[in-house]
Amino acid sequence: MDIQKKEIIKKMFKSIYGVGYITLFLVGLAFALSATINVYLDKKQSIEYKKVIATYHSYHKLESYDPIEEKHKTEYEGIYKFEANGQTYYASPTKTKGSTNFKKTLKIKYDPTNPNVYVVVGAYYEDYLTALVIWVILFICLRNGYDTEKKYIEYYATHPK
């Protein structure tokens, strides 16, 4: 392999993986910013709220039609109850595809002047933790692919046929 071809191939792989690194960095940054903003807004909203444990009460079946996929969709909305100011209140913060996928208890913070206004404590952590793990795995795979291609180019540049 002559030197010009070797340099062209190196530039090609560097640009492909450079774009991949930049894309993954921006996606990870978007997840991190989104998580940070959501947590900040929840904390800001609930700074004067009281914390309580809400227990699973029941679920409500929600049916809808998706015209794009041309099929009916069924989701289930979990209903949780909690006590505030000596009265029972109900909260519906979660939706799932199955009627048995609800947590038994949730930590929520409610507005003492209007207990119907509430925030689920830690609602975003699970989703963003999953996204962060996927992002790290993709980054590692991309890095390993770059190292493999780099070794391949170096080997064939020093061992011509």
Side-chain angles (χ1 to χ4, degrees):
M1 184 182 291
D2 63 359
I3 299 300
Q4 280 187 329
K5 286 183 182 177
K6 176 183 162 191
E7 292 302 319
I8 290 170
I9 292 172
K10 274 187 178 181
K11 286 180 182 178
M12 181 181 77
F13 282 114
K14 280 184 181 179
S15 66
I16 290 171
Y17 285 105
V19 169
Y21 281 132
I22 291 169
T23 303
L24 277 177
F25 173 76
L26 293 175
V27 168
L29 184 63
F31 278 118
L33 286 175
S34 179
T36 304
I37 289 169
N38 284 329
V39 169
Y40 170 76
L41 291 175
D42 278 355
K43 286 189 183 232
K44 183 179 176 185
Q45 176 185 349
S46 65
I47 202 158
E48 299 290 326
Y49 288 10
K50 292 186 178 180
K51 193 182 281 190
V52 69
I53 302 292
T55 56
Y56 177 75
H57 175 68
S58 63
Y59 66 87
H60 178 77
K61 187 176 182 179
L62 304 169
E63 293 188 23
S64 62
Y65 179 75
D66 186 352
I68 295 171
E69 294 182 14
E70 296 182 353
K71 64 180 184 178
H72 291 278
K73 294 172 97 176
T74 302
E75 289 183 316
Y76 297 88
E77 184 177 50
I79 300 170
Y80 292 81
K81 69 178 181 176
F82 63 96
E83 298 288 325
N85 304 329
Q87 294 183 345
T88 301
Y89 290 89
Y90 296 92
S92 300
T94 59
K95 291 181 183 175
T96 66
K97 301 282 183 205
S99 62
T100 59
N101 299 336
F102 297 105
K103 293 181 179 181
K104 300 292 180 207
T105 60
L106 286 179
K107 293 179 186 175
I108 64 169
K109 292 173 88 176
Y110 68 90
D111 183 350
T113 61
N114 182 6
N116 289 316
V117 177
Y118 58 87
V119 172
V120 178
V121 176
Y124 303 103
Y125 297 125
E126 292 174 1
D127 295 337
Y128 290 106
L129 183 61
T130 303
L132 181 64
V133 167
I134 291 170
W135 181 70
V136 168
I137 289 170
L138 286 173
F139 191 82
I140 290 170
C141 289
L142 187 64
R143 181 68 193 164
N144 287 341
Y146 177 73
D147 288 343
T148 302
E149 294 299 333
K150 186 176 172 186
K151 288 175 187 173
Y152 176 81
I153 290 169
E154 288 173 359
Y155 175 81
Y156 281 102
T158 57
H159 297 84
K161 290 185 178 183

